[in-house]
Amino acid sequence: MVRSVNAVNNDDTANGGVTDAEWAHARLGAWWEANARDLPWRFGRATPWGVLVSEVMSQQTQMSRVVPYWTDWMRMWPDAAALAGASTAEVITAWGRLGYPRRALRLQECARVVADRWHDDLPRGYDDLIALPGIGDYTASAVMSFAYGERIAVIDTNIRRVLSRLFLGVESRGGSASPAERDLANRALPRDARRSVTWNQSVMELGAVVCTAKTPLCDACPVRDRCAFLAAGRPGLGERRTRPRQRFAGTDRQVRGLVLDALRGLPDGETSLPRAQLEALWADRVQLDKCVASLDDDGLIEMLPDGAVRLPR
DNA sequence: ATCCGGTACA
DNA sequence: TGTACTGGAT
């Protein structure tokens, strides 16, 4: 019998019936104080816009890789108005090898909306945030919590995995968050706004560095004593996600990355990549042309009449 | 070789 | 509801 089941009580218990929630709040709070990584956008050192930029960059990349990009980026474009005024070519170049460059484009679109419609002042409401380009539920919630200190459940895969293991004793499934998972996240959230922010951050951090998907470091876990997943013998640890397998070699993703990388690496003074150099990047002409067309569709490159390509101005 | 994830959109 | 989108870590 798993001890910390997600039992809903009829009486008004402190956390909607999530057994041990308060104990976990205290444990993870202490763990956070001692173990939080000193990332430059944490501990009130970044503006709300800076927090948003860090969240967008972190959506797809480990924090440690994000740090130098974020630092350079914020030095170059400290606020939304500055980013709004940059050329798209500069933005794509600065995005460098962070991956998913369409997000750089969306971040700049977001900056333009914030600069124009919000007078360069990032909106403070979830509904207004989620309406911005490239901002979905996770990022809107993260900004509400981490930048504005509001009490709101932040739900990403790390948090889903940790809460599911700790309180339910099972692995969270792939795909989008279920209503039950959202419900659990809301019931486990501390009542107090300030503590809810720490909770969101510490659960996410725990998932990133201790309660990892494949090989969790349970010996080093601050909540191991009451973890339902550990008590149950870690059933289905690291089991196959419902997400399809993602390979990279030979895919359109690789080809697109190659083309953008060549454009970013153009020598000073050169602004376009001639057709011959483009063709030298990839042997399969059909796939190459398909990828060039899709990059053009996405607004990541422009095709010139002579077959050369360049970053948008 | 295999792992990873939020957003937009079909 | 499922899929495309990248590139570094392991």
Side-chain angles (χ1 to χ4, degrees), chain A residues 60-103:
Chain A
Q60 68 235 3
T61 313
Q62 290 175 322
M63 297 281 193
S64 56
R65 280 177 58 214
V66 166
V67 170
Y69 285 97
W70 183 87
T71 303
D72 291 348
W73 188 282
M74 295 306 293
R75 190 157 44 222
M76 214 170 336
W77 302 301
D79 48 40
L83 183 59
S87 80
T88 304
E90 284 180 288
V91 169
I92 294 169
T93 300
W95 195 257
R97 303 184 71 81
L98 273 176
Y100 298 103
R102 290 190 301 195
R103 298 179 187 214

Side-chain angles (χ1 to χ4, degrees), chain A residues 98-132:
Chain A
L98 273 176
Y100 298 103
R102 290 190 301 195
R103 298 179 187 214
L105 250 30
R106 297 216 179 96
L107 184 55
Q108 189 180 33
E109 291 166 25
C110 176
R112 289 179 172 148
V113 174
V114 171
D116 295 346
R117 286 224 243 298
W118 296 95
H119 305 93
D120 203 23
D121 195 23
L122 191 65
R124 309 184 87 82
Y126 175 90
D127 291 341
D128 291 327
L129 288 168
I130 207 170
L132 295 169

Side-chain angles (χ1 to χ4, degrees), chain A residues 100-183:
Chain A
Y100 298 103
R102 290 190 301 195
R103 298 179 187 214
L105 250 30
R106 297 216 179 96
L107 184 55
Q108 189 180 33
E109 291 166 25
C110 176
R112 289 179 172 148
V113 174
V114 171
D116 295 346
R117 286 224 243 298
W118 296 95
H119 305 93
D120 203 23
D121 195 23
L122 191 65
R124 309 184 87 82
Y126 175 90
D127 291 341
D128 291 327
L129 288 168
I130 207 170
L132 295 169
I135 307 302
D137 171 71
Y138 164 74
T139 308
S141 303
V143 169
M144 290 298 290
S145 180
F146 304 149
Y148 294 136
E150 298 283 346
R151 182 181 181 278
I152 185 171
V154 175
I155 301 180
D156 74 343
T157 54
N158 279 335
I159 289 184
R160 287 167 62 194
R161 182 176 61 251
V162 172
L163 296 183
S164 180
R165 283 177 175 172
L166 176 60
F167 295 122
L168 308 182
V170 297
E171 291 285 31
S172 78
R173 301 175 333 177
S176 46
S178 67
E181 284 179 307
R182 296 189 167 277
D183 193 45

Side-chain angles (χ1 to χ4, degrees), chain A residues 157-215:
Chain A
T157 54
N158 279 335
I159 289 184
R160 287 167 62 194
R161 182 176 61 251
V162 172
L163 296 183
S164 180
R165 283 177 175 172
L166 176 60
F167 295 122
L168 308 182
V170 297
E171 291 285 31
S172 78
R173 301 175 333 177
S176 46
S178 67
E181 284 179 307
R182 296 189 167 277
D183 193 45
L184 175 59
N186 278 299
R187 284 182 295 128
L189 195 65
R191 299 276 152 296
D192 174 66
R194 189 155 295 279
R195 292 175 64 212
S196 76
V197 174
T198 303
W199 172 252
N200 285 329
Q201 289 180 126
S202 58
V203 174
M204 203 179 305
E205 188 88 340
L206 190 77
V209 306
V210 173
C211 193
T212 54
K214 226 177 65 176
T215 53

Side-chain angles (χ1 to χ4, degrees), chain A residues 277-289:
Chain A
Q277 287 179 44
L278 181 63
E279 289 181 354
L281 293 173
W282 196 252
D284 183 342
R285 191 69 47 82
V286 173
Q287 188 182 21
L288 178 65
D289 284 338

